[in-house]
Amino acid sequence: MTQTAATPEPPAPEAPPAQPLLELRDVDVLYGRVQALRGVSLHVQSGEVVALIGSNGAGKTTTLRAISGLVRPARGEVLLEGQPIHALGAEVIARRGVAHAPEGRRLFSRMTVRENLEMGAFSRRDGSELRADYDRVYELFPRLRERSTQLAGSLSGGEQQMVAIGRALMARPRVLLLDEPSLGLAPILVDAIFEVIREINATGTTILLIEQNALLALDVARRAYVLETGSIALSGSAAELQQSEAVQRAYLGM
């Protein structure tokens, strides 16, 4: 009796890639006659930590400023869930869920820690949930609870960085932009800040991170981009870039 071989089933079609939560498409930024960004394209999926590394003056901070509406691209698009936001003002972009903890903290130095956190919630209308978010920030940064009535300008550098991140979290962001969170901090505080970054991401917050310590950035990130003189030079998984000889020589001190 002859047996007929079973016809193999065709492979299931691959699911289309998810729409990025945040995307830049061919973004140029000019400061007068100086071109700070040239055709920058990158994307961040929901729930990711993505790092942007590069030397000083490469355009990293300008990239975050273009996303948060502090500068307007001369060309290209910034999209949030597929919707363009690059022509909107910074306040509108913040209301749509993009929070920016800038380089240098930029706190209100003559206001208390609590008042600085309140400023992070300026765009919210869900007052009944604010208390839970203050508690969340104080759980992430217990020292801020102790310093809640202290003027922000009198805090140490590490404590000021905690306030800057906490203030951004008070907006309940869908995307958190972190610009050099370890800048000027002692190594023990750097480790603490990065542990908090991991905790923030574990609760579902998407993060785009600029960090001078490329090894730390690639350790916490899922993917990364290398920015050189205003253009994307390399991109890939964090593990791939850690193994890249060019990245090791230029940014990892190897």
Side-chain angles (χ1 to χ4, degrees), residues 28-38 57 62 74:
D28 291 353
V29 170
L30 302 174
Y31 293 123
R33 295 183 178 180
V34 177
Q35 187 162 2
L37 297 182
R38 296 176 177 83
T62 297

Side-chain angles (χ1 to χ4, degrees), residues 91 94-95 119-125 171:
E91 180 179 345
R95 290 184 187 279
M119 294 301 293
F122 80 96
S123 65
R124 292 181 51 181
R125 298 293 180 264

Side-chain angles (χ1 to χ4, degrees), residues 203-224:
T203 64
T205 302
T206 303
I207 298 173
L208 178 58
L209 167 70
I210 291 175
E211 173 51 49
Q212 60 174 348
N213 187 324
L215 191 59
L216 272 177
L218 293 176
D219 186 54
V220 76
R222 178 181 176 186
R223 294 186 302 108

